[in-house]
Amino acid sequence: MTIQWFPGHMAKARRQVTEKIKLVDIVFELVDARLPLSSRNPILDEIIGEKPRIIILNKSDLADPIETKKWVAYFNNQGIAAVPIIAQEGKGMKQLMEKAKEILKPKFDRRASKGIKPRAIRAMSIGIPNVGKSTLINRFIKKNVAITGNKPGVTKAQQWLKLGKELELLDTPGILWPKFEDPDVGKKLALTGAIKDTILQLDDIAMYGLEVMKTRNPKAIAKRYQLTEEELNLETPELLMLIGERKGFRDDYTRASELIIHDIRSGKMGKYTLDIAPVSLSEGQEN
């Protein structure tokens, strides 16, 4: 089944971002480190084109660190820089800026050789809902913020957030939403909270989460809900009902589902990555 859920302003948002991307030096593309592929909008490659970019794997504290390293290596092998961060805590922000400077050094060196006065890096942050775009912006602007406008080619609706002397971040109205044909992608996005819980049935999301955890981290789920090995091997619907009963939600599948989804999203059942990194190009050539 194809899940259609993006709003009618998709075409307008796409046009806006396509226009604004011409104003920046680099794109900060935010993804959820738990699903680095599923949380990427499939049309962004077309919009970004040859513009330099950094894929920012946010919420890396909730993801499997081994898988995160594999994803960073995978993107690097595709010729795309990738940096894991925890925007909520400000971790990885320094590395992000260093990588941006490294990528743009040839461009700024050419400008300097022509006698053009140095300026701050101009960046745009884009990403699907709930990957941390607002948190990233808030972390960047926590100090020394000035909003500048009326730049050439910039409409009044567009605002630049000047972050010290090093970075100007384009705050863009509108949100690009993903479209997916694979139901598993929808389940992954729903489980991590990237799309509204009303898109899919809560018990379907919870059971999907239980299946994932039973496969990826059975010890964590057994410990969290005090399950025996026999109970852990129950069919998923039965396991959902059992956990509900244990937590005092007998026959209330909605509350049981909400509990399980919350526990998974908040990392109470351990770190996990739903997207497994593909074999890199270099590894494929070696095999």
Side-chain angles (χ1 to χ4, degrees):
M1 180 181 73
T2 300
I3 302 173
Q4 302 288 354
W5 58 279
F6 54 97
H9 69 266
M10 174 69 184
K12 180 180 178 181
R14 178 174 176 171
R15 285 196 302 270
Q16 287 178 329
V17 174
T18 300
E19 176 187 349
K20 294 166 190 168
I21 208 165
K22 301 172 184 177
L23 307 173
V24 302
D25 303 308
I26 193 167
V27 173
F28 291 162
E29 181 185 351
L30 272 76
V31 300
D32 189 320
R34 296 168 295 180
L35 48 162
L37 193 61
S38 297
S39 62
R40 294 188 71 198
N41 190 315
I43 72 168
L44 285 183
D45 285 342
E46 178 185 344
I47 293 174
I48 294 172
E50 298 300 316
K51 182 75 65 174
R53 83 172 104 176
I54 300 175
I55 292 182
I56 303 172
L57 293 94
N58 192 26
K59 305 183 182 181
S60 59
D61 54 322
L62 299 175
D64 181 335
I66 295 176
E67 287 299 320
T68 297
K69 288 182 180 179
K70 290 180 180 178
W71 274 108
V72 170
Y74 173 77
F75 286 126
N76 287 340
N77 282 328
Q78 306 302 309
I80 305 173
V83 177
I85 70 166
I86 309 173
Q88 192 71 44
E89 301 175 11
K91 294 183 178 178
M93 308 295 276
K94 180 180 179 182
Q95 290 81 357
L96 173 58
M97 281 305 304
E98 289 175 349
K99 181 60 68 173
K101 291 177 183 176
E102 176 187 331
I103 292 172
L104 293 174
K105 187 177 186 302
K107 175 179 180 177
F108 280 74
D109 283 349
R110 286 194 300 271
R111 288 172 56 87
S113 67
K114 296 177 182 178
I116 301 174
K117 185 178 179 181
R119 61 165 173 80
I121 292 172
R122 294 172 183 165
M124 172 195 290
S125 62
I126 53 179
I128 70 168
N130 206 34
V131 291
K133 177 176 175 288
S134 296
T135 305
L136 177 72
I137 292 174
N138 290 338
R139 175 59 61 175
F140 266 132
I141 68 175
K142 66 178 181 177
K143 297 178 181 178
N144 221 4
V145 183
I147 298 176
T148 58
N150 298 322
K151 288 181 177 291
V154 182
T155 69
K156 293 181 180 179
Q158 302 167 10
Q159 292 184 325
W160 291 87
L161 302 174
K162 189 172 183 179
L163 318 175
K165 297 181 179 179
E166 292 188 326
L167 181 67
E168 291 181 0
L169 196 63
L170 184 57
D171 186 18
T172 60
I175 300 174
L176 286 174
W177 291 61
K179 172 185 176 182
F180 44 85
E181 305 292 337
D182 184 351
D184 282 342
V185 173
K187 292 177 182 177
K188 291 176 183 179
L189 293 171
L191 184 60
T192 55
I195 61 177
K196 293 180 179 180
D197 290 336
T198 54
I199 299 298
L200 300 173
Q201 294 292 328
L202 280 180
D203 56 345
D204 287 341
I205 301 172
M207 285 190 288
Y208 172 74
L210 288 174
E211 290 169 1
V212 169
M213 290 301 158
K214 284 171 65 175
T215 302
R216 306 280 177 87
N217 201 349
K219 291 182 179 179
I221 188 173
K223 181 179 179 181
R224 180 66 183 168
Y225 302 121
Q226 299 178 335
L227 301 171
T228 65
E229 184 175 347
E230 183 179 356
E231 290 170 336
L232 189 61
N233 290 324
L234 289 171
E235 293 296 320
T236 307
E238 295 176 349
L239 181 58
L240 173 62
M241 290 188 287
L242 175 62
I243 292 172
E245 290 177 5
R246 289 268 169 88
K247 295 299 181 179
F249 304 146
R250 185 179 181 85
D251 296 329
D252 191 340
Y253 304 130
T254 298
R255 291 187 67 187
S257 297
E258 288 175 342
L259 170 71
I260 291 167
I261 293 169
H262 175 269
D263 285 350
I264 293 174
R265 286 178 182 172
S266 61
K268 292 182 179 178
M269 277 194 270
K271 299 177 186 294
Y272 63 94
T273 300
L274 300 178
D275 289 342
I276 303 304
V279 176
S280 70
L281 292 177
S282 61
E283 290 173 338
Q285 291 170 348
E286 290 172 0
N287 290 338

